[in-house]
Amino acid sequence: MSTPIPDRWKLTLPLMLPVLGGLAYLQTFGAPSRLIVINALALVFALAWTLWGRVPSQRGGRLALAGLMAFGLFLPLLLQLDAGGVSRWIPLGPVLMHSGTLLLPLLIVLTAREPRLGPAILGLALLALGLQPDAGTLLGLTAATAALAVTQRSTLFALVSGAALVLTLATFGAGTLEPQAFTEGVLAQVWAAAPLLALGLGAALLVAPAWLLYRNLHVPRAEGYALAALLAGLGVAAILAPFPFPLIGYGASPILGFGLALGALGRLSPARESR
């Protein structure tokens, strides 16, 4: 049993509110129109998927899709799209997609209630992110798998979380990427010019993980907590160091990635929690 379509609009709020705030930020601070259009189109697609998207209904199909997501994280390394000593991107037409924020949210949802295979598949993701390297997304994975370790009472998820934390610390500061305007340092930039707008953006970003924990949303506990922790981890990474701000900064990847995850979340029944 999945969330009925009339109720699934509630799942769009943790995505729509921060992204709309981000679009207002991009417009106000003079971002190139191309960046605004890309984020807006990504939001339209993500909202449509959240409402009407489908994932495989059978466990085997979901696990196969999770495996595909995990191996997809290796694509930047296979394509050798290197910049500043890191490889984190997958080309999608004229746009480079950040592999971690595009693929990891759905991967977390698909593996959240797989006590044996889930940690193994997320271990593959951990390896890919460590090789890229991508400490920001690794911190998100650390938080998400810690949430799964608690909600699922799983030692294996805890081991993945511990390994992810070690790799996060080991790769923090790796690479020599040039600062990315309108993607990194968003809250600091806005705070310097418009503190009230910065507070609004920060609040909008907090809405997403907080809303996923809202009991009346009727999402499976493990997936909801893990997805909230992933987003919180990505946000903390962006505050601590020059990593992309999810949803409120320029970047189609986290918008699409969390849209894919929310669409899958709406197709899972909380009744399966005890399996």
Side-chain angles (χ1 to χ4, degrees):
M1 174 179 163
S2 61
T3 306
I5 287 291
D7 293 330
R8 293 182 73 190
W9 68 269
K10 297 176 184 177
L11 284 171
T12 67
L13 293 179
L15 181 67
M16 185 166 53
L17 293 180
V19 176
L20 289 177
L23 289 172
Y25 149 69
L26 292 174
Q27 179 64 39
T28 302
F29 280 75
S33 57
R34 173 178 173 271
L35 306 189
I36 298 173
V37 170
I38 289 174
N39 269 25
L41 290 176
L43 176 60
V44 170
F45 180 87
L47 292 178
W49 179 266
T50 301
L51 290 172
W52 297 293
R54 293 182 177 274
V55 292
S57 58
Q58 300 299 316
R59 177 172 178 260
R62 287 193 297 272
L63 286 174
L65 180 58
L68 184 63
M69 296 289 103
F71 281 110
L73 288 169
F74 288 92
L75 272 179
L77 300 166
L78 296 175
L79 297 174
Q80 298 183 332
L81 294 176
D82 182 276
V86 298
S87 299
R88 303 171 184 166
W89 302 277
I90 301 171
L92 184 63
V95 181
L96 286 177
M97 308 299 290
H98 183 270
S99 60
T101 53
L102 177 66
L103 301 176
L104 191 58
L106 178 57
L107 180 57
I108 290 291
V109 169
L110 293 172
T111 56
R113 276 178 285 171
E114 293 294 334
R116 289 181 292 276
L117 290 178
I121 295 172
L122 290 176
L124 279 177
L126 171 65
L127 176 61
L129 294 172
L131 290 173
Q132 290 182 3
D134 187 353
T137 308
L138 279 168
L139 184 58
L141 179 60
T142 300
T145 47
L148 290 176
V150 172
T151 57
Q152 301 293 69
R153 300 178 182 178
S154 167
T155 301
L156 292 177
F157 278 124
L159 290 174
V160 175
S161 183
L165 179 59
V166 170
L167 272 182
T168 299
L169 297 175
T171 60
F172 213 81
T176 57
L177 284 174
E178 293 294 324
Q180 302 297 305
F182 304 110
T183 300
E184 301 166 356
V186 171
L187 290 182
Q189 178 194 11
V190 179
W191 180 264
L196 288 179
L197 179 57
L199 290 174
L201 277 177
L205 188 56
L206 284 173
V207 162
W211 186 253
L212 288 169
L213 305 181
Y214 183 47
R215 291 178 63 86
N216 288 338
L217 193 59
H218 302 301
V219 300
R221 180 170 178 261
E223 286 88 333
Y225 275 65
L227 202 56
L230 173 62
L231 184 55
L234 293 174
V236 169
I239 291 171
L240 294 177
F243 291 108
F245 264 91
L247 306 183
I248 63 171
Y250 165 67
S253 306
I255 300 172
L256 294 173
F258 278 93
L260 291 172
L262 290 169
L265 203 60
R267 293 290 176 180
L268 298 174
S269 170
R272 288 178 60 241
E273 190 101 33
S274 60
R275 99 176 197 12

